[in-house]
Amino acid sequence: MKILIVDCSNFGIPGMQKALKNLSVDSRVIKRELQTVRSDPKVELDLMEAMAGDNYDAVFSFNFLPVLATACNKLHKKYISWVYDNPQVKLYSTTMLYPTNYCFLFDRAEYETFKNGGISGVYHLPLAADINTYASIDYSKAKPDYYNDISFIGKMYNEDTGYLSRYKGISPYFEGYVDGILRTQNRLYQANILEEALTPELIDELYRLVPYEPTEDGVETLEYIFANYYLARKLATFDRHFYLEELSKNFKVSLYTLEKTPELPRVINKGIATYDTDMPQIFRHSKINLNIGLRSIKTGISLRCFDILGCGGFLMSTCQNELWDYFTPGVDFDFFTSPEELVKKCRYYLEHEDERAKIARNGFEKVKEFHSFECRIKEMFDIVFA
Amino acid sequence: MKILFYRYNSICEPYIIDAFKELGHDVYEITAEVERKDVSAQECLSIVSQALDLVIYDFVFTVNFFPVISEVCQAYHVHYLSWTVDSPVLELYSGSIKNNFNRVFVFDRKLCDEIKNYNPDRIFHLPLAAGITEKQHLIETASASERANFTSDVSFVGSLYTEKSILSKLQNPPEYLQGFLDAVMNLQTETYGDYFITDALSEDVIKSFKNHYPDFYHIPEGALCDDRLILGLFYLGYGVTAMERIRLLSALSEQFRVDIYTASDTSALPKINNRGPVKSLTEMPLVFSQSAINLNFTAKSIRSGIPQRIWDVFASGGFLISNFQEELYDYFSPGEDLIVYENTEELCELTKYYLENPMQRSEIAHSAFEKMKKYHTYTIRVQEMLNLAFGKKIYI
């Protein structure tokens, strides 16, 4: 069995290769920057040439790449895409209709949207931890900086730079309306209301600021874009500030992020953490690791959760429904639905070291056995090569 | 037992008195507030103290919680039982809730859970009830013309809360505030079972609202509520209920003949038939019994509890279509005893269906009525109240 892996500066490529090798599957990696390409005949041709030789059984990429889907379809080559980003507007492309697609989505709610929309070739598959890589790291040589009581690694979506800054001219009425939506969603830890909360008037106002037009093959709606790219990210900023602020009143909280956070004076901002070197050490050596999920993910488990558990860390997460399908609160992770609950549980787990260590260990064992790249590859291949 | 019953003319009082008597207790009534609406707290204190000076009572009782009576009872070391039958109720947030001679009964479980910690072991959940015999008697002895007068396809008895809407009274509210309030209220009208507005408010929004609403309730010292609760549950709660009732009744009155019995202004509902207010004791049971379909849209501030209207409809043998309320499932089976809708479209579909299916309506109404007779009379409920108040050994 031979797989062609297309690497667009993704995480986990070496992990995939190692896992495939462990399963006696050959693979070759080619690097291409296809993140912004939807359709381009030259790019297509190049990809077709790359996959034509060597008799590959399938082509693989992380995330879904329309131009790669097109190339595979033309050559009748199976295209396996394992989507770990959310939102992923590229999914809303007519190229999702190709019979050569095997698209694995980690958010079951999103998978069901496609399924119910009549798209075959989509499947639900949770993410996984790169156990091969994480288990081979030497955790004993950790810098003191990696030791934390509570830590969070993630984006804070600064509103002055980056994507959110495009919406800064929003009129005061709609600014209030948006804040009302976000604060409501923050309180509703089960229901997902962002898309339905967008009124026609609000969409008009957002379109005035960001006149989004889909590409030729794109079928995404304005509701989808504004709910998942704008509202969800703005909410992530709010949620993360909200919880970290409350926690920092009671505990030592470390934040690893790009942005400066003067508005969170009690939070210890330690700057960027690299995915490969810093992150595993931080997860291992922090007593409690937070996951404050992006609400564009409706039911799925964030990659961060698998990374935390895979590195032997203790996971304290917001309610991502699918966690309950594979894990048990109090046994291999724990969760919170309000700042009060978060503070209460953090206090408990900081005081109960043995229990905390046991939960982290249980989480690691479970992920090692059931949520490794090898597990997922087997599940994918069972479907693709049935 | 000897009971001192302080009355203010709540509709529940006669039924509770009868229930106490049926259970073999003696009831002595103070009716100052029935006769006059201007009884001051000082006067109330005085009247109750004097009564307690003269006779040794086993307990004092009121419908809804009177902080001043709680203080008197505390001073006299007499138990004070109160049954809260509405929500929201400001008095429950008074510091007097903590008095250890209190036994507080609350019909809404979520409200009960919210205040329980202020007086553990002395605050209990107790659903409402209805006076079945009285209603049945009224219905059975009504003349043909009286019945005809209240015959209806679809009816709703209650306030639209439009008169309580504060948003129209905001003075020059900033656009941001308008937008924020519109958002949370729109979203809340779509949601049952979870009243999130109170928690969703930001400190800035609360401050901004107070700046533009000069009559904002001034919270007395020692009270256990805050501006957030006042704005979220009281002011906005009424607004959301108003929006909801108007939206639903508007949709229904487009398709069906809908009667509303209310004192509220119904100009937002041009197609509805406004029959004006109805007398609770002598007319309302007839409305419930003679309407093909009775509607219930629980006020949003009643978060989980079963409102009085539902009990009254059942006790009158009426058929009910209602919004979802959590506690309904504790005592009744939707589909068997009543019908529950989840959204506007479904409400219209169900209304159409049940207008065309009188036998099913009848079966469902009958099922609810049988349950009322068996489990939900005032006598049963009052006995439960006494069991909770005096059953367990609570050290004072």
Side-chain angles (χ1 to χ4, degrees):
Chain A
M1 177 92 74
K2 201 157 182 211
I3 307 288
L4 176 66
I5 301 177
V6 180
D7 176 3
C8 305
S9 308
N10 299 114
F11 301 133
I13 296 288
M16 264 314 269
Q17 277 199 290
K18 221 179 294 184
L20 285 166
K21 186 144 177 255
N22 288 345
L23 295 171
S24 309
V25 177
D26 273 335
S27 66
R28 184 177 155 240
V29 176
I30 59 169
K31 288 192 198 287
R32 297 288 188 273
E33 295 308 321
L34 303 177
Q35 291 90 312
T36 54
V37 181
R38 292 296 281 251
S39 139
D40 183 328
K42 276 216 288 274
V43 174
E44 252 174 62
L45 198 59
D46 162 61
L47 290 168
M48 281 162 67
E49 276 167 11
M51 68 181 75
D54 274 346
N55 212 21
Y56 294 106
D57 295 278
V59 178
F60 174 91
S61 75
F62 281 115
N63 292 329
F64 180 77
L65 303 162
V67 68
L68 183 53
T70 306
C72 289
N73 183 53
K74 286 192 173 156
L75 285 184
H76 305 295
K77 272 279 192 269
K78 293 181 200 259
Y79 170 41
I80 306 173
S81 54
W82 191 9
V83 182
Y84 66 68
D85 269 337
N86 185 302
Q88 258 279 277
V89 66
K90 290 199 204 59
L91 289 168
Y92 292 82
S93 159
T94 49
T95 60
M96 278 285 275
L97 295 166
Y98 295 141
T100 42
N101 286 345
Y102 293 85
C103 181
F104 295 89
L105 301 175
F106 77 90
D107 187 5
R108 187 185 286 116
E110 184 156 49
Y111 152 73
E112 274 162 12
T113 305
F114 283 98
K115 200 80 200 161
N116 294 336
I119 314 266
S120 53
V122 279
Y123 306 89
H124 171 243
L125 189 70
L127 298 172
D130 185 359
I131 294 290
N132 295 319
T133 303
Y134 296 147
S136 69
I137 290 174
D138 182 358
Y139 292 100
S140 65
K141 302 267 173 57
K143 298 192 296 199
D145 180 71
Y146 291 141
Y147 289 82
N148 301 293
D149 279 354
I150 302 175
S151 60
F152 177 70
I153 304 181
K155 292 196 172 82
M156 297 300 277
Y157 298 106
N158 191 301
E159 296 199 39
D160 292 319
T161 58
Y163 182 75
L164 291 178
S165 63
R166 299 187 211 180
Y167 296 88
K168 282 194 86 174
I170 195 169
S171 74
Y173 175 85
F174 288 109
E175 192 187 350
Y177 203 96
V178 165
D179 280 355
I181 295 174
L182 299 186
R183 284 191 159 256
T184 299
Q185 178 68 91
N186 166 273
R187 300 308 304 185
L188 298 175
Y189 58 87
Q190 291 268 302
N192 294 300
I193 61 155
L194 296 179
E195 240 173 278
E196 36 179 273
L198 289 164
T199 62
E201 296 79 20
L202 177 55
I203 292 175
D204 283 344
E205 170 69 359
L206 295 175
Y207 187 82
R208 178 182 75 81
L209 297 157
V210 177
Y212 181 84
E213 293 295 341
T215 55
E216 205 183 313
D217 62 299
V219 299
E220 67 273 22
T221 59
L222 287 176
E223 281 86 344
Y224 172 83
I225 291 296
F226 292 136
N228 291 288
Y229 282 88
Y230 173 58
L231 291 179
R233 283 182 180 163
K234 202 163 197 288
L235 178 59
T237 307
F238 175 73
D239 280 346
R240 290 165 184 189
H241 278 85
F242 186 72
Y243 288 117
L244 292 177
E245 163 132 41
E246 195 57 36
L247 271 183
S248 69
K249 290 182 191 161
N250 297 276
F251 311 107
K252 285 206 295 277
V253 180
S254 305
L255 170 63
Y256 293 88
T257 191
L258 169 64
E259 297 84 358
K260 296 267 184 292
T261 50
E263 67 279 9
L264 293 169
R266 277 172 289 216
V267 172
I268 307 160
N269 187 330
K270 294 191 174 182
I272 293 192
T274 60
Y275 190 84
D276 295 319
T277 318
D278 298 323
M279 185 190 82
Q281 301 280 0
I282 295 164
F283 287 157
R284 172 65 72 98
H285 299 298
S286 298
K287 295 182 182 167
I288 297 175
N289 293 287
L290 298 174
N291 174 51
I292 305 170
L294 196 56
R295 293 306 287 265
S296 50
I297 301 171
K298 302 205 172 56
T299 61
I301 305 170
S302 300
L303 181 59
R304 186 185 290 102
C305 295
F306 288 107
D307 285 338
I308 290 170
L309 295 172
C311 294
F314 175 91
L315 170 65
M316 175 71 76
S317 177
T318 48
C319 287
Q320 299 189 311
N321 277 347
E322 291 175 44
L323 279 166
W324 275 257
D325 291 341
Y326 305 101
F327 301 96
T328 310
V331 173
D332 35 41
F333 85 105
D334 214 333
F335 70 98
F336 59 97
T337 62
S338 71
E340 297 74 35
E341 192 176 13
L342 176 58
V343 167
K344 188 163 155 222
K345 286 187 174 179
C346 282
R347 182 165 289 123
Y348 178 86
Y349 284 115
L350 286 172
E351 285 169 13
H352 293 79
E353 231 180 275
D354 291 339
E355 192 177 338
R356 193 184 75 224
K358 182 146 189 273
I359 292 174
R361 212 164 31 242
N362 289 342
F364 172 74
E365 292 300 328
K366 184 169 272 180
V367 164
K368 180 165 162 226
E369 192 172 346
F370 298 108
H371 303 286
S372 64
F373 276 32
E374 284 88 342
C375 292
R376 296 294 185 261
I377 291 167
K378 277 192 221 150
E379 288 174 80
M380 281 191 262
F381 282 15
D382 279 347
I383 292 169
V384 177
F385 301 110
Chain B
M1 290 200 259
K2 263 209 189 86
I3 303 167
L4 181 63
F5 196 131
Y6 185 93
R7 299 186 57 173
Y8 70 95
N9 218 15
S10 156
I11 206 87
C12 312
E13 285 167 1
Y15 300 116
I16 299 173
I17 291 171
D18 284 346
F20 280 140
K21 288 181 177 165
E22 201 178 308
L23 292 167
H25 305 293
D26 297 318
V27 182
Y28 302 84
E29 300 175 33
I30 296 179
T31 55
E33 266 191 62
V34 174
E35 290 137 25
R36 292 161 30 219
K37 288 294 148 203
D38 61 349
V39 175
S40 69
Q42 192 56 43
E43 210 185 321
C44 170
L45 188 152
S46 191
I47 296 174
V48 176
S49 306
Q50 279 170 32
L52 293 178
D53 279 334
L54 291 174
V55 176
I56 295 178
Y57 292 96
D58 290 284
F59 64 89
V60 176
F61 178 87
T62 60
V63 170
N64 286 333
F65 182 74
F66 283 68
V68 75
I69 295 180
S70 176
E71 292 303 320
V72 175
C73 290
Q74 188 70 12
Y76 279 77
H77 285 209
V78 175
H79 285 113
Y80 171 44
L81 273 61
S82 64
W83 191 1
T84 295
V85 302
D86 207 352
S87 176
V89 173
L90 272 170
E91 288 79 8
L92 283 176
Y93 301 100
S94 148
S96 308
I97 201 78
K98 297 184 185 175
N99 289 334
N100 56 19
F101 278 89
N102 287 341
R103 298 293 183 266
V104 181
F105 297 89
V106 180
F107 84 103
D108 180 287
R109 188 181 287 116
K110 280 205 166 146
L111 173 57
C112 179
D113 287 345
E114 190 185 273
I115 60 170
K116 232 188 225 180
N117 289 329
Y118 294 126
N119 202 342
D121 293 334
R122 296 188 184 89
I123 300 181
F124 307 94
H125 172 242
L126 188 71
L128 302 173
I132 299 167
T133 334
E134 298 82 351
K135 290 182 173 48
Q136 286 306 306
H137 179 76
L138 181 79
I139 293 163
E140 278 152 27
T141 58
S143 69
S145 67
E146 278 171 323
R147 284 174 205 253
N149 189 22
F150 294 112
T151 298
S152 202
D153 278 353
V154 184
S155 68
F156 177 72
V157 179
S159 171
L160 287 179
Y161 287 110
T162 39
E163 59 283 354
K164 285 200 160 131
S165 168
I166 35 79
L167 295 176
S168 46
K169 299 189 201 133
L170 276 171
Q171 289 180 0
N172 299 318
E175 302 252 310
Y176 178 92
L177 179 64
Q178 292 262 46
F180 190 99
L181 295 178
D182 282 351
V184 296
M185 286 173 67
N186 284 339
L187 290 169
Q188 185 68 76
T189 55
E190 320 255 317
T191 312
Y192 289 110
D194 188 356
Y195 192 80
F196 50 72
I197 292 187
T198 312
D199 288 331
L201 299 173
S202 66
E203 294 298 324
D204 286 343
V205 161
I206 297 168
K207 247 188 256 157
S208 180
F209 188 95
K210 285 184 78 175
N211 286 339
H212 297 274
Y213 191 76
D215 287 332
F216 198 95
Y217 177 74
H218 182 75
I219 298 172
E221 222 185 288
L224 302 165
C225 57
D226 55 12
D227 288 340
R228 174 179 289 273
L229 192 76
I230 300 295
L231 175 56
L233 196 58
F234 286 76
Y235 292 141
L236 297 179
Y238 290 130
V240 174
T241 304
M243 276 171 70
E244 165 121 39
R245 289 182 177 182
I246 289 173
R247 191 189 68 196
L248 294 166
L249 289 169
S250 178
L252 284 170
S253 57
E254 286 291 326
Q255 285 184 50
F256 310 104
R257 277 195 308 258
V258 181
D259 290 316
I260 185 171
Y261 295 88
T262 185
S264 299
D265 171 12
T266 55
S267 50
L269 300 166
K271 296 230 168 122
I272 212 165
N273 185 18
N274 187 345
R275 306 282 313 264
V278 74
K279 300 198 181 75
S280 308
L281 287 174
T282 55
E283 294 177 335
M284 195 176 70
L286 280 171
V287 173
F288 292 150
S289 125
Q290 304 305 309
S291 297
I293 297 180
N294 293 287
L295 298 170
N296 175 60
F297 309 124
T298 312
K300 287 292 191 188
S301 48
I302 299 175
R303 285 164 281 179
S304 64
I306 302 174
Q308 188 64 58
R309 182 183 296 98
I310 290 185
W311 302 106
D312 287 341
V313 168
F314 289 162
S316 309
F319 170 81
L320 180 71
I321 298 183
S322 170
N323 71 289
F324 166 83
Q325 278 300 106
E326 209 176 286
E327 292 177 44
L328 273 170
Y329 291 76
D330 293 343
Y331 308 103
F332 300 100
S333 301
E336 252 177 57
D337 307 312
L338 77 152
I339 300 298
V340 173
Y341 70 89
E342 298 209 346
N343 55 57
T344 318
E345 294 70 41
E346 199 185 11
L347 173 61
C348 294
E349 279 162 22
L350 290 165
T351 302
K352 178 167 195 290
Y353 177 83
Y354 282 101
L355 279 174
E356 294 166 3
N357 285 277
M359 273 195 51
Q360 287 189 39
R361 287 197 318 253
S362 184
E363 258 174 53
I364 290 170
H366 182 76
S367 178
F369 181 70
E370 289 302 309
K371 282 199 174 129
M372 285 300 295
K373 280 197 297 187
K374 212 164 166 192
Y375 303 114
H376 304 295
T377 62
Y378 268 101
T379 309
I380 293 173
R381 207 67 97 221
V382 166
Q383 182 59 61
E384 209 183 308
M385 180 176 72
L386 295 173
N387 291 346
L388 287 166
F390 301 111
K392 209 163 78 163
K393 197 96 177 123
I394 300 166
Y395 293 96
I396 292 163

